[in-house]
């Protein structure tokens, strides 16, 4: 949550297909301090020259990779990458490993909890395309956030490069407590976090 506070506590609320930003935070290119912080995220994936002033470069995967490095998660468990598919495909390839600690699930089979990653496609996806079973690998442009709070009816997750900032996203869950499909944010996958 420290990074979200540092970026001014931007809030993004999704209610079905409606999106609102009730509180705007500090954007990636607003000032050198915050642009430099994004450079730190990029350094976690080996892109040393990029910063928040490179606004056309999506940095959400670099943000997640930096968070995992800051939490001292070994690279063999969470391989850092400038694209989310780098680590997601690693988790999918090891989904049947009984010792896995980062376990992929479809949004229909698992209810997210704090510490988990929730991942969506950045492209247009129809409800019928949402996976009922795990794919072998992912190739599309993706976005992932880290779940920080849920009460079974709503969920809060923090991610980087969400409306130009580190933002907290607020989602309404299904009556059963599952992520719901949204055309604005087509959730596809949840990574269960069993790290201690």
């Amino acid at each position: 949550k420290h990074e979200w506070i540092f970026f001014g506590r931007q809030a993004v609320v999704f209610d079905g297909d409606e999106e609102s930003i009730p509180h705007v935070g500090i954007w990636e290119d607003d000032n050198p301090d915050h642009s430099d912080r994004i450079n730190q995220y990029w350094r976690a994936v080996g892109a040393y020259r990029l910063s928040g002033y490179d606004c056309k470069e999506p940095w959400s995967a670099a943000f997640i990779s930096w968070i995992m490095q800051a939490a001292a998660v070994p690279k063999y468990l969470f391989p850092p990458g400038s694209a989310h598919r780098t680590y997601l495909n690693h988790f999918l390839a090891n989904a049947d490993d009984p010792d896995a600690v980062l376990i992929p699930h479809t949004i229909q089979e698992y209810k997210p909890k704090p510490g988990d990653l929730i991942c969506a496609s950045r492209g247009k996806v129809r409800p019928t395309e949402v996976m009922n079973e795990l794919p072998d690998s992912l190739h599309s442009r993706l976005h992932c956030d880290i779940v920080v709070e849920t009460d079974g009816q709503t969920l809060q997750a923090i991610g980087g490069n969400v409306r130009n900032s580190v933002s907290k996203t607020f989602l309404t869950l299904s009556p059963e407590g599952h992520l719901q499909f949204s055309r604005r944010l087509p959730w596809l996958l949840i990574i269960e976090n069993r790290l201690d």
Side-chain angles (χ1 to χ4, degrees), residues 1-10 23-41 52 59 63 66-67 158-159 164-168:
K1 291 185 181 180
H2 177 268
E3 295 303 294
W4 174 62
I5 293 168
F6 178 70
F7 275 86
R9 302 173 186 255
Q10 181 159 289
H23 179 77
V24 176
I26 300 165
W27 285 12
E28 57 198 356
D29 59 349
D30 274 353
N31 61 57
D33 287 345
H34 293 84
S35 179
D36 287 350
R37 182 62 63 90
I38 292 167
N39 173 257
Q40 292 178 32
Y41 304 155
W59 47 274
F63 172 78
W66 182 86
I67 291 288
I158 292 176
N164 308 307
S165 189
V166 174
S167 301
K168 183 184 282 188

Side-chain angles (χ1 to χ4, degrees), residues 18-189:
E18 298 297 316
E19 176 186 3
S20 62
I21 305 177
H23 179 77
V24 176
I26 300 165
W27 285 12
E28 57 198 356
D29 59 349
D30 274 353
N31 61 57
D33 287 345
H34 293 84
S35 179
D36 287 350
R37 182 62 63 90
I38 292 167
N39 173 257
Q40 292 178 32
Y41 304 155
W42 280 117
R43 286 173 175 270
V45 297
Y48 298 98
R49 294 183 188 165
L50 294 175
S51 74
Y53 294 117
D54 298 289
C55 298
K56 292 185 179 179
E57 296 289 339
W59 47 274
S60 58
F63 172 78
I64 297 287
S65 296
W66 182 86
I67 291 288
M68 292 299 176
Q69 285 186 15
V73 178
K75 289 181 181 180
Y76 73 88
L77 291 178
F78 192 102
S82 59
H84 295 282
R85 63 181 170 269
T86 301
Y87 60 81
L88 292 177
N89 285 334
H90 174 78
F91 303 149
L92 289 167
N94 294 288
D96 295 329
D97 181 348
D99 297 323
V101 292
L102 293 160
I103 303 154
H105 299 280
T106 66
I107 65 171
Q108 296 93 344
E109 70 179 350
Y110 178 79
K111 298 176 186 177
K113 64 179 184 2
D116 293 345
L117 296 176
I118 54 173
C119 304
S121 171
R122 285 189 180 266
K124 292 186 178 180
V125 177
R126 293 189 297 272
T128 54
E129 294 175 23
V130 174
M131 298 170 276
N132 291 319
E133 58 185 52
L134 292 174
D136 293 329
S137 63
L138 295 164
H139 305 286
S140 60
R141 293 174 63 227
L142 302 157
H143 174 80
C144 297
D145 288 345
I146 301 170
V147 178
V148 293
E149 191 174 321
T150 182
D151 60 9
Q153 298 175 321
T154 60
L155 178 146
Q156 298 174 30
I158 292 176
N161 197 37
V162 178
R163 297 294 174 252
N164 308 307
S165 189
V166 174
S167 301
K168 183 184 282 188
T169 299
F170 295 77
L171 302 168
T172 301
L173 300 173
S174 74
E176 298 78 31
H178 291 275
L179 280 178
Q180 299 188 87
F181 179 84
S182 163
R183 283 182 172 79
R184 294 293 295 268
L185 207 54
W187 300 108
L188 300 173
L189 203 59

